[in-house]
Every structure is written in structure tokens, then in C-alpha cells.
Amino acid sequence: MIPESFIQDLLARVDVVDVVGRYVQLRKGGANLLGLCPFHKEKTPSFTVSPTKQFYHCFGCGAHGSAITFLIEHTGASFPEAVRTLAASAGMTVPETPRSPQQRQRDRQRKQEISRHEQILESARQHYLANLKATPRAIEYLKSRGLSGEIAARFGLGWSGDDRRGLTAVFPNYEDPMLVECGLVIEAEDGRRYDRFRERIMFPIRNARGKLIGFGGRIIGKGEPKYLNSPETPLFSKGRELYGLWESRAAVRREGCVLVVEGYMDVVGLAQHGVENAVATLGTATTQEHVQKLLRASNKVVFSYDGDQAGMRAAWRALQACLPLMRDDVSVRFLFLPSEHDPDSYIQAFGDKAFRAALDEAVSLSRFMLEELARRHRLDEAEGRAACVHEALPLLASLPQNAYRLQVEREFAQLVLLTPEELAGLLRSASSGHSGPASTNSRHVAVREPASETVRVDIPEIGSVPEPPPFEGAAWEQPRRASKPAARTRHSVTPLAKQLLRLLIAHPQLVDGLGDQQLEILERSPHLKLVRDLIALAAASGARHAGALLQAAEPGSDLEQVLSGLGPQVLAEEDLPDPQAEWNDALRRIELEMIKAEQTALVEAGLKEAAQQQRYQQLNRRRILLETGGSRKVL
């Protein structure tokens, strides 16, 4: 484990501009630098990098973070790999948390096993590739599917061969247990061994970092199953991986969209016709881990399925996996092809222009969900509408609390002849009755208007940058726990508290000048919990710029949401000439508000006791000092 102190020291030494500049052409744009976003397709630069705040943000797709985050998201590196890469460029050595001899030995063994696993898979890949070149039958099959040699080479297609023990030509020690662990060989109950893949076109499967982790095989003759994957191994899990994600990464960024299909041949066939941004699930239903990977690749996802019953079932499962991860800046759509076609056959029959035209007509997730719910129930009678509501409530409850959910709820309420308020009441009742899944992808703010009416607005998600309207007495909610429906703690966030948060994000070094008097004011105010938490984070981590603060925040925490929401706004602001003076002035105004509130409470109590009268006079003297710019003194 890499110590947090080293990570903060590393971020203080590297320059996010240098790191990003290796991959993105940047130009000066005021205090920041601008460029075309590497995470989505755009013609006008919306990608901003701040040298002073050491933070990047795309105002188009919402990508944001520190130098470490950029390497992870852009190159597919793991967190330790990104840290080591940056450390090497800065001439630093990454320290590791002391580990016991047994732990170190296990780590060495694990690394050796993974390395050997990868070597075995690579040897098998080379074998399959050589087999294809020497097998006219397999080559003719690929030609019959409209594939060129160039596309076959790009995806590394191979041929397994017909021999039950063909891999003995590669691995003389065919009894090696690693061959079974890698999924290349099957061991029967009687101890006999044979190759898992025979008479199949072989598709190497790579992870998001381009590492070979397994294979898929497509049979070209008679036999079942038509598609066969590697089994679950230490490197490969079909519920987490997507075929073609590595190969399509550039096209996904170029197209600004990722297309999800059902088979390897669909991915390769689409690429043959110039549609290169497709990926495929590996013979399993779409999972939330799949969706997370897809949304990291692009904020626009299109699922393509056959229009038959099997396709509709697969689409519905994908929809359910997507719901908890829907954000306001995300678009998920569904393309249903005629039942006699899959994407590969459709594009071969009608061409890429027709396929792209069909993509443009893909239905939104919300439309698909509402139309499917309506199809399942009789909405011309009360019983049918009630049954529809019963089925829809868990789906709606799984959506994060954001503007998208409000829009879907209103459309559904109209569908079943309910008011939005009536539907919201049913959702509250349903959520209090069970501990269903909850999402922390967004936070709500309860806004107190002068008329005492409570309205709800959303804190900006990642990528949402418009300035929120002024509000008072607001509250960011704590994350909800999926394990229990306990009431959440709400932390008030006044405009002054928001100002302090923005100052701290832009200038974390302000924590170094905090004295006991200011800390006391911060502690006494009930509306500054998040400010105190941010101060504690900056002090504990040593973060001294916005990017480092975001890197130090716990994923999914309130502070990460605050940094993600306010960070882009801070990034777009000019640096203040005297942030310390702004900080002091904000605290002065906070103290004045506290004094006025306490004086009002004393007056309402009647000032009947001498102690109350003395306290009121004391507060009044302090108030005059603050209003006239007098010296600070703790009450």
C-alpha cells in the first residue's frame, strides 16, 4: 500500500500540465490552458487544465481530476501503476507500507503466477495465430463473413485447430496445472486432459489496459455452444470484462459514444465496415461493473439487441444494471434491430450508412422503460395502473436522486394518472419498508425559501458546471447506506459556507494559517460541518491544491461530491489577489450572523434575567467591533 503522504508529496512535485500535455495539445486560455478533450469527441475545446490548482476538467463530458487520475483514465493504468509512472518522471522512489515477510512472500508468488499466466496465454495466442495462417478452411470462413486480413490481424484472430490435444505442440508438459488454471485445458473426472477450444475461430480478450486475459472461441461447423469463453480465472471474469474495449478506445473517444453488442463477430464485423466503437459482453447479462466501465469510456452508451423476445429480455437486464448509475450528463439508448438480424448481418445487408441511421433512431432508456412497463399492464383500468406502479417503484427507487430521476418520475406519473407528489409519496413509503439499493452518485439540497416552502435542487454532478441559484439554510445530505434505511444526517450549507468551501478548494494552504479563534468560530456554527471536514482532509493529507484534495477524498464521500461539484466552478474562476483577506472577511460575516441570531433569541426570551441582559450587551459590543472592522476577540 502506498502511503497517502507520498501521494500528496508526489502531486506537489509533478505538474498536471506536463502530464496532460504529453497526450493533449494545449494552448493558453487566460490563467488556464485549453485543449480538445481526450475523453470524448469534440470540435471546440472544452478541456481545461489549471497550472495553479493542478486540476483538469472537461466542461463537455465532465472528466476531471489530478495528474494521477488523468493517467488512470487516459492510459488505463491502475492506481499503483500511475503513481509509479509519475514518481519515476519526478525522480522519486515509491515507498511501500511495511509488510510482513509472509505478506511479501505471498505478493511475490502472486506476481509470479500472474506473470506465468500471461506468458502461457501469450504462447497460446501465438499458436492460434499460426494455426489460422496455415488453415485455408478457417481463412475461407472469415472471408465468407466479409472480414479482411487487415481486420483479422487488428483483432488478433486465430484458429484453435481440430486436435483434442493440439496445445501439446506448445506446452510439452501438458500435465502442468497452470494450463487448467488458465482455462486452456479441461481435466475430466477420470484425469484425462484435452483442449478447451477446438474447431473455433479464436478471439483474444484484453482488459482495459491491453493485457491478454482470456479467449473467446466461435465454432465454424456444427456444434454447441456457438460461442465459448475462457472460464473464470485469476485474470478473467466475464461479469467484469468487455470484448473490444481496448481495441475500440480511440474510436469511442472519436465518436463520443460506445456501442454495446452481444457477440465478438458483431464487434469485428462492425469494425470491418468502419463502425469501430463497438464492444461486446462476454456471453453474460450486462452487469453494473460493465456499465461502470462503459461510462468511464464515454457518457453516451447505445445497447444494440435483436428485436426478438431474447433481445428484449437482455435489454431489460441491461436497463436494470444502468439505472443506479444514471447521471444527468449520461445518455443511455437502445437500438432494436429486426429479429432476423444482428448488428453484423444488418450492416452487411444494408451498409454502414443505414446502420448509423438506425443508431440515430435508438430509443432512450427512459422511453424504453416506460413503454415496456405500459406494454406489460392494462393502463385503461385502475388494477392495471396499480400493478404498473408496483413494478415500477423499485426501478424508480434505484435511480440516483438527480434531475434525470425527477424527469422520469414525472413522465411515469402522467402515464399512470398520478400527480408527481402522489408518486413521490409512494416512493417514500416503499423505501421506508425495505432496504433496497441506494446510490450516492448525487446529493440533494433542501432549499428554504422565505415563504418556508421547501424545494429540492441538485448539487452539480461531475461535469455539471452551471452556477447553482442562491440559497439559504441549504443542506447536502450524507450518503445513503444500502444496508439499512436509517434517516440521513443533513448538514446545512449557507452561502457563506459555500464561499469558504470554494476558497479552501482553490487555496488549501489557508488551513496553515488557521488560529484557535477562527477554529472556534468554525466549530460553533452548525452550518459549517463540511467546511470543518474539508479542513481536516487538507490538514491530514497535506493536500495543497485542488487536484490533490480530490485525490485525497474518499470515493463516494460527501467531500468528494463537494469537490466534484464546486471544483469545476473554482477552476473557471480567476485567482484572488488576497485569498486570506477573503477568508477572514467570510468568517467575520459568519460570526456577525451568529451574534445576530443569539441576540434575537435573547430578545424573544424577554431578557428577564441579569445574565441574559449582560450577555446581550456583550454581544452588542462585539457586533459593533466587527461591523466597524475592529480587532478580533473570542467571546
Side-chain angles (χ1 to χ4, degrees):
M1 185 175 178
I2 303 172
E4 177 66 27
S5 58
F6 176 82
I7 294 169
Q8 295 304 321
D9 188 23
L10 173 63
L11 288 172
R13 295 195 191 189
V14 300
D15 189 345
V16 69
V17 174
D18 293 337
V19 176
V20 174
R22 296 172 200 158
Y23 305 92
V24 180
Q25 187 173 354
L26 300 172
R27 63 175 174 80
K28 195 71 175 172
N32 300 323
L33 291 100
L34 304 175
L36 295 175
C37 179
F39 301 109
H40 82 289
K41 184 180 179 181
E42 63 177 5
K43 295 181 180 179
T44 303
S46 60
F47 185 78
T48 304
V49 184
S50 171
T52 56
K53 302 177 180 70
Q54 289 295 299
F55 187 81
Y56 69 87
H57 180 80
C58 176
F59 290 92
C61 71
H64 71 292
S66 66
I68 294 174
T69 311
F70 183 85
L71 284 184
I72 293 172
E73 296 298 328
H74 187 63
T75 68
S78 65
F79 178 79
E81 288 170 342
V83 170
R84 291 187 177 96
T85 297
L86 287 177
S89 69
M92 301 171 67
T93 301
V94 179
E96 301 289 349
T97 302
R99 300 173 67 81
S100 68
Q102 295 81 3
Q103 289 174 320
R104 290 197 295 270
Q105 178 63 23
R106 284 195 296 270
D107 288 344
R108 283 193 296 269
Q109 290 176 349
R110 173 67 177 159
K111 290 179 181 178
Q112 290 171 357
E113 288 176 3
I114 290 175
S115 177
R116 186 151 182 263
H117 198 138
E118 292 173 343
Q119 291 170 4
I120 288 173
L121 290 176
E122 179 59 27
S123 296
R125 188 188 72 84
Q126 295 289 346
H127 171 69
Y128 298 143
L129 190 61
N131 276 354
L132 177 63
K133 295 177 180 178
T135 309
R137 179 164 66 102
I139 294 174
E140 285 303 315
Y141 172 80
L142 293 178
K143 288 182 177 179
S144 73
R145 297 298 299 263
L147 301 182
S148 65
E150 180 184 357
I151 285 292
R154 176 182 163 189
F155 284 89
L157 304 188
W159 172 247
S160 65
D162 304 326
D163 193 339
R164 284 176 58 86
R165 294 166 63 92
L167 288 176
T168 54
V170 188
F171 306 106
N173 181 16
Y174 197 69
E175 303 303 314
D176 186 347
M178 280 293 289
L179 296 181
V180 175
E181 186 174 334
C182 290
L184 297 173
V185 169
I186 294 175
E187 186 173 67
E189 292 183 1
D190 59 6
R192 289 183 300 172
R193 291 188 168 205
Y194 53 90
D195 292 0
R196 176 178 297 276
F197 300 101
R198 299 187 305 282
E199 296 188 78
R200 293 179 183 272
I201 298 294
M202 299 300 293
F203 297 78
I205 302 171
R206 301 183 182 277
N207 63 17
R209 288 175 282 158
K211 298 285 188 180
L212 181 61
I213 57 175
F215 293 97
R218 205 280 188 198
I219 200 164
I220 67 172
K222 294 181 179 180
E224 293 292 337
K226 181 166 68 172
Y227 287 102
L228 180 65
N229 291 319
S230 292
E232 299 288 306
T233 73
L235 296 186
F236 176 72
S237 173
K238 63 184 180 182
R240 292 198 298 266
E241 303 298 338
L242 292 160
Y243 175 72
L245 188 58
W246 168 255
E247 290 83 356
S248 69
R249 64 195 185 283
V252 168
R253 289 195 292 269
R254 185 173 65 249
E255 298 285 345
C257 170
V258 58
L259 172 63
V260 187
V261 295
E262 293 190 87
Y264 319 107
M265 195 60 74
D266 290 325
V267 172
V268 179
L270 289 171
Q272 179 69 58
H273 289 81
V275 180
E276 301 175 315
N277 57 326
V279 302
T281 50
L282 297 164
T284 185
T286 303
T287 66
Q288 282 196 24
E289 288 183 272
H290 287 146
V291 178
Q292 288 171 340
K293 285 179 182 284
L294 291 167
L295 293 179
R296 282 198 291 269
S298 176
N299 64 350
K300 183 177 180 181
V301 180
V302 178
F303 291 92
S304 178
Y305 294 103
D306 298 348
D308 57 14
Q309 287 300 312
M312 295 296 287
R313 287 194 297 270
W316 191 252
R317 289 192 292 267
L319 176 145
Q320 291 174 299
C322 290
L323 289 176
L325 300 171
M326 292 299 293
R327 306 191 307 262
D328 294 342
D329 62 331
V330 161
S331 170
V332 175
R333 307 185 79 84
F334 291 84
L335 169 63
F336 296 103
L337 297 172
S339 58
E340 68 273 16
H341 281 294
D342 57 29
D344 179 33
S345 66
Y346 189 92
I347 203 169
Q348 288 198 52
F350 304 105
D352 63 302
K353 289 184 179 179
F355 185 80
R356 290 183 183 276
L359 279 177
D360 291 339
E361 299 300 318
V363 300
S364 67
L365 182 147
S366 60
R367 179 179 164 192
F368 170 45
M369 181 173 72
L370 296 179
E371 289 184 351
E372 180 64 13
L373 287 170
R375 186 188 65 81
R376 298 180 184 187
H377 303 278
R378 292 196 58 176
L379 300 186
D380 59 344
E381 59 184 29
E383 291 83 354
R385 292 192 296 273
C388 187
V389 171
H390 179 76
E391 182 178 0
L393 287 179
L395 300 174
L396 296 173
S398 67
L399 283 166
Q401 295 280 6
N402 52 25
Y404 178 79
R405 173 169 170 168
L406 289 175
Q407 293 293 327
V408 174
E409 285 181 7
R410 286 174 182 172
E411 287 193 28
F412 179 74
Q414 290 178 347
L415 184 69
V416 292
L417 305 185
L418 293 175
T419 67
E421 293 74 21
E422 289 168 339
L423 179 61
L426 290 172
L427 280 165
R428 284 194 296 271
S429 298
S431 63
S432 64
H434 64 84
S435 56
S439 171
T440 58
N441 287 357
S442 63
R443 297 291 182 270
H444 273 89
V445 181
V447 183
R448 292 286 178 185
E449 299 290 349
S452 300
E453 180 184 359
T454 299
V455 230
R456 299 181 75 80
V457 300
D458 288 298
I459 288 180
E461 288 283 352
I462 295 172
S464 177
V465 298
E467 175 71 13
F471 55 87
E472 296 187 10
W476 272 314
E477 292 180 355
Q478 290 281 58
R480 291 181 289 175
R481 301 294 182 185
S483 57
K484 56 183 180 180
R488 289 160 288 175
T489 303
R490 302 170 71 89
H491 299 311
S492 295
V493 179
T494 62
L496 283 173
K498 184 180 176 184
Q499 182 180 353
L500 291 180
L501 289 168
R502 293 171 75 154
L503 281 168
L504 280 174
I505 294 170
H507 307 281
Q509 65 273 16
L510 287 170
V511 300
D512 297 329
L514 286 175
D516 292 340
Q517 294 172 332
Q518 291 190 346
L519 288 172
E520 182 184 353
I521 293 170
L522 293 169
E523 189 63 39
R524 285 166 53 200
S525 173
H527 305 307
L528 300 181
K529 171 67 167 59
L530 287 172
V531 177
R532 295 194 293 270
D533 288 348
L534 189 56
I535 290 171
L537 176 68
S541 66
R544 290 301 178 265
H545 54 72
L549 275 175
L550 183 62
Q551 195 70 55
E554 181 182 352
S557 66
D558 280 354
L559 285 181
E560 186 196 38
Q561 295 295 324
V562 169
L563 290 162
S564 297
L566 296 179
Q569 299 174 29
V570 171
L571 185 68
E573 295 172 349
E574 295 293 331
D575 289 334
L576 294 170
D578 192 349
Q580 186 66 60
E582 296 282 345
W583 174 267
N584 292 341
D585 181 64
L587 284 180
R588 181 185 65 83
R589 286 185 286 150
I590 287 172
E591 187 179 358
L592 271 171
E593 286 187 357
M594 293 166 59
I595 289 173
K596 292 175 184 177
E598 188 175 350
Q599 283 185 315
T600 299
L602 288 169
V603 170
E604 290 176 350
L607 292 173
K608 298 175 182 178
E609 299 179 5
Q612 291 177 323
Q613 297 171 9
Q614 183 180 1
R615 177 60 177 168
Y616 186 89
Q617 293 301 323
Q618 184 184 15
L619 288 170
N620 209 44
R621 288 192 296 271
R622 179 61 179 162
R623 177 175 173 176
I624 292 171
L625 276 174
L626 290 173
E627 289 176 337
T628 58
S631 61
R632 298 189 57 80
K633 181 180 179 182
V634 179
L635 293 172

